[in-house]
Amino acid sequence: MFNRLRKLCGRYMRALLPRKLYKLIANGAIIVPAYYKDIIADAETNFDLSLEDTDDKAILLMRKYAHIIDKGLHRVDASPGHSKKYYSILKSLIERLEKTEYATDSTLTWARSKIIAYEHLQVEDNFIPLRGEKPTINVSFEQLEKLVMARRSNRSFSLKKISDEDVIKLKNLANWASSSCNKQPIEIYATNNPELSKECLKYCKGGTGFSEFIPSFWVFTANIRGYVWPSEIFLPSVDTCLGVQNIMLGATTLGLSATILSWAQKDKNEERKIRELLHIPVHHQIIICAVMGMRILLTKLQKGKIYENLVNKSIFRE
């Protein structure tokens, strides 16, 4: 009885009180240390944005519910009658998205195939669980190991621009990484304009010691509308960084060096400036940034001179 009364009071307070006052009362008027306030404010902003009903939220949720249905269709004990709730949600999301800009999205086609397979399960006596085709892989472990070990974070770039074609190749690798419930939330903002890249670099802590010429600047973000806040607060970062690793390795195969720049210590001005420069909407949470370019290959003679200079200036330590 007490719990029901408490929930009823909470519902009326939520409806009648300003949001900030309601949160203060609901959380017991806890005093939060100043160094946590920005983190909490960001989380609250993301929570509010995740409640908005938008088409880009619908595509993320469609992938999520299609993934849930797909898991059931792969079970050896798959049987009719299960997951009806998720089937209904998925079907309504597909119908909605067929009238939007996402109508030709490849994941929409994939989701439709799950609906068809689920409907077959409901009427077939001898349903065969889904199984993916075994891929043919011509890359050995040793080759992959060499690639991983060859990747470098470089801060000096040759005076050569990166082509838009290479950017497109690399960004297409991102969504082939794992992501929670196959939401594929990663959104990439990149520029191949060296002047703009250099300007963006100014607003990244740790963006020091770079050469004057910055060929390309990347911002990796997550569309936070497909997440349940606050329980999934860390998933946007995890999902995005899995895709970033694909890009880092892909860049190495193209002779490029990509250097990650942490965004964890950003301040409000840096956040505002990066969003303005690259036109990043507020519902795309910035996870990390990076610079990319052709690294300068040093000869043995050049390496020796650099080593001597560092020793002479007491910078280098064995």
Side-chain angles (χ1 to χ4, degrees):
M1 181 68 181
F2 175 74
N3 286 336
R4 290 177 62 185
L5 182 61
R6 187 181 66 176
K7 288 181 180 178
L8 184 63
C9 289
R11 192 179 306 155
Y12 280 111
M13 288 171 63
R14 192 162 55 245
L16 297 173
L17 295 177
R19 186 172 179 80
K20 286 188 177 181
L21 180 58
Y22 166 74
K23 286 180 181 178
L24 184 65
I25 295 172
N27 292 316
I30 297 174
I31 298 174
V32 178
Y35 46 82
Y36 285 128
K37 286 185 177 179
D38 286 344
I39 297 173
I40 294 171
D42 287 346
E44 292 289 354
T45 298
N46 290 336
F47 175 76
D48 291 341
L49 290 168
S50 72
L51 298 176
E52 296 178 356
D53 183 24
T54 60
D55 290 339
D56 61 335
K57 177 180 179 178
I59 191 75
L60 294 169
L61 293 179
M62 182 211 71
R63 293 170 188 154
K64 173 181 176 178
Y65 289 113
H67 169 73
I68 292 172
I69 294 295
D70 190 37
K71 286 194 296 183
L73 294 170
H74 278 77
R75 292 180 59 136
V76 294
D77 60 347
S79 59
H82 292 284
S83 302
K84 286 184 177 179
K85 172 185 174 183
Y86 299 126
Y87 162 76
S88 298
I89 294 173
L90 176 59
K91 197 166 184 179
S92 65
L93 286 168
I94 290 173
E95 290 172 354
R96 169 181 175 169
L97 290 165
E98 285 175 337
K99 302 171 185 175
T100 70
E101 62 178 307
Y102 298 103
T104 58
D105 189 282
S106 58
T107 58
L108 190 62
T109 302
W110 169 76
R112 287 194 199 102
S113 72
K114 303 309 168 186
I115 287 288
I116 293 170
Y118 180 86
E119 291 172 345
H120 284 173
L121 170 61
Q122 309 312 305
V123 297
E124 290 184 6
D125 294 330
N126 298 311
F127 179 80
I128 301 174
L130 298 185
R131 292 291 181 269
E133 294 181 6
K134 185 178 180 180
T136 301
I137 301 173
N138 296 318
V139 178
S140 68
F141 174 83
E142 289 73 21
Q143 289 172 318
L144 176 60
E145 183 181 39
K146 286 180 180 179
L147 173 62
V148 171
M149 295 175 69
R151 195 208 65 77
R152 293 290 184 274
S153 295
N154 193 53
R155 289 177 179 254
S156 294
F157 303 109
S158 64
L159 300 177
K160 185 176 180 181
K161 291 186 178 181
I162 297 177
S163 70
D164 291 345
E165 290 77 13
D166 282 348
V167 170
I168 292 169
K169 281 182 185 177
L170 291 173
K171 68 94 176 171
N172 286 339
L173 292 176
N175 283 333
W176 287 100
S178 301
S179 61
S180 57
C181 288
N182 194 39
K183 285 193 285 283
Q184 301 177 25
I186 189 168
E187 301 280 351
I188 300 168
Y189 295 83
T191 176
N192 282 341
N193 181 328
E195 291 303 317
L196 180 55
S197 296
K198 188 176 178 180
E199 182 67 18
C200 290
L201 185 60
K202 292 178 183 178
Y203 301 102
C204 291
K205 289 183 173 69
T208 57
F210 283 89
S211 57
E212 283 294 307
F213 185 75
I214 306 297
S216 187
F217 187 89
W218 296 54
V219 178
F220 299 96
T221 78
N223 187 335
I224 50 84
R225 284 181 168 150
Y227 293 93
V228 179
W229 298 85
S231 60
E232 295 184 339
I233 190 170
F234 298 113
L235 285 182
S237 296
V238 173
D239 290 345
T240 300
C241 288
L242 288 168
V244 171
Q245 179 67 1
N246 280 9
I247 291 175
M248 298 295 106
L249 294 177
T252 303
T253 68
L254 298 175
L256 301 172
S257 173
T259 301
I260 292 294
L261 299 164
S262 171
W263 195 244
Q265 295 177 316
K266 51 84 175 142
D267 58 38
K268 290 181 180 179
N269 180 60
E270 290 164 342
E271 175 103 19
R272 178 179 60 82
K273 289 299 294 184
I274 287 291
R275 289 188 181 278
E276 287 177 357
L277 289 168
L278 296 179
H279 308 290
I280 303 172
V282 68
H283 63 282
H284 288 174
Q285 181 185 1
I286 299 175
I287 307 299
I288 53 176
C289 304
V291 292
M292 194 180 297
M294 289 282 196
R295 67 182 177 199
I296 297 175
L297 299 177
L298 301 179
T299 65
K300 288 184 179 180
L301 180 60
Q302 288 173 313
K303 288 179 182 176
K305 287 182 177 178
I306 290 172
Y307 180 90
E308 289 172 7
N309 289 336
L310 290 172
V311 172
N312 292 337
K313 293 181 180 179
S314 300
I315 297 172
F316 185 84
R317 293 290 183 271
E318 292 284 17

